[in-house]
Amino acid sequence: MKNDSSDKWGFETKAILKGQSPDPSTGATIPPIYQTSTYTLEGIGETKGYCYSRTGNPTRSAAAECLASLENGKFGFIYPSGIAAIHTVIQQLNPGDHVVTCEDLYGGAHRLFTQIVNKFGIEFDFVDARDPDNFIKAIKPNTKLVWLETPSNPKMYLCDIKAVVDKVKALAKSENREILVGADNTFASPYLQRPLDFGVDMVMHSCTKYLGGHSDLLLGAIVVRDEELAEKFAYHQNATGTIAAPFDCWLLMRGMKTLAVRMKQHHENSLSLAKWLEKHPLVKQVNCPALESSPQNDLYKKQMDLYNGMISFEIDADIEAVKGLVANLKIFQLAESLGGVESLSCHPATMTHAAVPAERRKELGINDNLIRLSVGIESIHDLQADLEQAFAQLPAAAKA
Ligand SMILES: *Cc1c(COP(=O)(O)O)cnc(C)c1O
């Protein structure tokens, strides 16, 4: 931007303008999709900052700069998927290193850790993230990374980011060693929670969810403040080729412009439905830390500015009734993924968490009667009416 006061901009202004100055050659207001693999040099050694699109592409840089500013970070990197971003973080480690992470981790991250990267000599321990001390207890002499995810999926548990960072960093300092802390901020989005402000070293996103916001792209991201870490990620991205296509980066930029208005509506709709569900006689438990009744409501208020669209609940019925309920929903579509403007329903035990062994699912409370909703931004009365009509068709409701 010409006169750069952009660091002081508010969130919404950054989302619309950061990294997105008019195109210098044409004045195009919206950054073009630079669909090019290479860049013509004016002479030997004379580039305009780009030489080959694996190393750097202006559309990708623009999206990365915008996202980095939303996270109050300095350097951003965009990857072809959220999982590719997590894999990138893990690849900064060496064989023999140890990672402490959350037990109700995103299923794909759990699979990556226990089926793929474990083969390269990296060890993982999974702890109940609701108590920060659990991370400290699991730290070993070879622990190099603590990996957080909050709110978690599908129980929407929160982890106190600042408490974990403070404890891990104090321990590392007292033992004169380095332990990095990273946070998967996918479920919150930077509009609700900015982990770098709580002291984490890196923030990761599946941009596929709230950042993109329209269920039409797959991308991942890492944002950091530290220049040395940024150099490592830039080097790694060029060396491994884990890059995102310009068109997807452009879609991400378009999505991020409306992040703030979308998140406010997700918050309003999901909280309204959570309150309604909480009162329903066939609902056993609603998982939503934004509810006053939640044991984590204080932490929610401390750590998050608003809530997202994610709630889960157990119904007092068997698996057949659960199947019937999701089948009868007309606006909530039965689908994996989350964070789009449209509302989705999901049955974690057979969908997102099917890869978790049944025994383990039981330990984690991912029961067969648990339903997860990604509440979109449709009219709230239509969403509630959809749930009402689906609940009314339950056999248990007919009996009552
Ligand atoms: C979806 C998701 C991922 C993986 O992202 P992809 O873009 O699907 O690869 C990682 N973490 C969380 C919390 C997610 O919801």
Side-chain angles (χ1 to χ4, degrees):
M1 282 269 137
K2 268 177 261 160
N3 45 33
D4 204 353
S5 57
S6 60
D7 283 344
K8 297 191 194 78
W9 283 346
F11 189 95
E12 289 83 351
T13 315
K14 290 196 274 190
I16 292 166
L17 291 175
K18 260 286 186 183
Q20 303 172 64
S21 326
D23 181 49
S25 60
T26 61
T29 307
I30 300 303
I33 300 163
Y34 283 94
Q35 192 66 38
T36 185
S37 60
T38 193
Y39 304 80
T40 302
L41 309 191
E42 298 206 321
I44 290 175
E46 286 175 49
T47 73
K48 293 181 173 171
Y50 295 94
C51 56
Y52 188 58
S53 277
R54 172 158 36 74
T55 323
N57 173 285
T59 318
R60 199 166 86 228
S61 309
E65 186 184 338
C66 181
L67 176 55
S69 79
L70 299 183
E71 282 287 2
N72 291 339
K74 282 202 180 127
F75 309 95
F77 302 89
I78 312 287
Y79 297 92
S81 68
I83 280 295
I86 299 175
H87 196 193
T88 296
V89 170
I90 298 301
Q91 286 189 2
Q92 308 310 311
L93 305 175
N94 293 306
D97 287 352
H98 175 249
V99 180
V100 184
T101 185
C102 321
E103 61 182 10
D104 48 352
L105 194 67
Y106 174 70
H110 189 272
R111 179 174 52 210
L112 174 72
F113 294 170
T114 58
Q115 305 295 321
I116 307 288
V117 294
N118 59 323
K119 289 190 288 195
F120 299 91
I122 298 171
E123 297 171 34
F124 294 86
D125 267 313
F126 301 87
V127 302
D128 183 335
R130 284 169 293 176
D131 181 353
D133 285 326
N134 289 341
F135 289 93
I136 302 304
K137 286 181 203 147
I139 285 176
K140 301 202 277 192
N142 57 339
T143 304
K144 295 287 164 60
L145 174 71
V146 169
W147 188 249
L148 311 176
E149 187 185 315
T150 177
S152 76
N153 177 26
K155 304 281 279 185
M156 314 307 156
Y157 292 150
L158 303 186
C159 158
D160 188 333
I161 303 172
K162 183 159 189 321
V164 174
V165 169
D166 288 350
K167 283 170 192 271
V168 170
K169 295 293 176 184
L171 178 122
K173 197 172 171 202
S174 74
E175 295 181 358
N176 199 17
R177 55 193 272 216
E178 188 179 43
I179 304 173
L180 293 175
V181 183
D184 181 336
N185 203 28
T186 301
F187 264 49
S189 91
Y191 189 64
L192 309 188
Q193 167 178 291
R194 289 154 307 280
L196 290 170
D197 289 350
F198 298 124
V200 308
D201 300 286
M202 54 201 147
V203 173
M204 168 263 151
H205 275 283
S206 166
C207 314
T208 314
K209 317 294 168 51
Y210 285 110
L211 290 174
H214 297 75
S215 308
D216 53 8
L217 64 83
L218 252 119
L219 285 178
I222 296 171
V223 176
V224 299
R225 280 184 185 161
D226 182 70
E227 195 161 348
E228 221 173 288
L229 257 183
E231 272 167 24
K232 280 189 190 166
F233 286 127
Y235 185 87
H236 179 275
Q237 186 166 48
N238 184 47
T240 59
T242 36
I243 54 112
F247 178 61
D248 294 3
C249 294
W250 182 88
L251 273 180
L252 169 62
M253 258 188 290
R254 189 168 74 156
M256 288 191 295
K257 286 178 205 271
T258 56
L259 182 66
V261 284
R262 283 187 285 110
M263 293 318 290
K264 284 181 217 169
Q265 201 59 44
H266 283 297
H267 166 93
E268 207 175 301
N269 284 0
S270 75
L271 197 56
S272 165
L273 292 184
K275 285 180 183 161
W276 179 82
L277 283 164
E278 203 176 28
K279 289 200 209 96
H280 198 287
L282 289 177
V283 174
K284 282 212 291 203
Q285 197 199 336
V286 182
N287 301 305
C288 170
L291 285 172
E292 297 279 343
S293 59
S294 162
Q296 293 196 297
N297 190 244
D298 286 344
L299 176 56
Y300 158 72
K301 287 181 183 151
K302 187 178 101 177
Q303 180 162 291
M304 300 180 75
D305 296 336
L306 284 176
Y307 193 60
N308 60 17
M310 301 305 296
I311 50 183
S312 64
F313 58 95
E314 288 187 19
I315 61 171
D316 198 2
D318 61 10
I319 178 78
E320 289 312 310
V322 171
K323 281 187 188 161
L325 185 81
V326 293
N328 287 330
L329 288 169
K330 295 192 171 71
I331 295 179
F332 284 90
Q333 304 170 58
L334 185 62
E336 309 241 353
S337 201
L338 59 112
V341 289
E342 59 284 297
S343 290
L344 303 178
S345 67
C346 166
H347 183 236
T350 59
M351 295 168 66
T352 48
H353 293 68
V356 181
E359 194 120 310
R360 186 78 189 119
R361 277 206 305 271
K362 212 169 157 201
E363 285 166 13
L364 295 173
I366 305 172
N367 299 321
D368 283 351
N369 60 351
L370 182 76
I371 295 171
R372 185 189 84 178
L373 300 179
S374 172
V375 181
I377 63 171
E378 301 93 337
S379 310
I380 183 62
H381 49 88
D382 291 332
L383 295 179
Q384 187 172 320
D386 197 28
L387 287 175
E388 274 169 14
Q389 63 81 25
F391 267 104
Q393 295 183 57
L394 282 180
K399 263 187 269 146

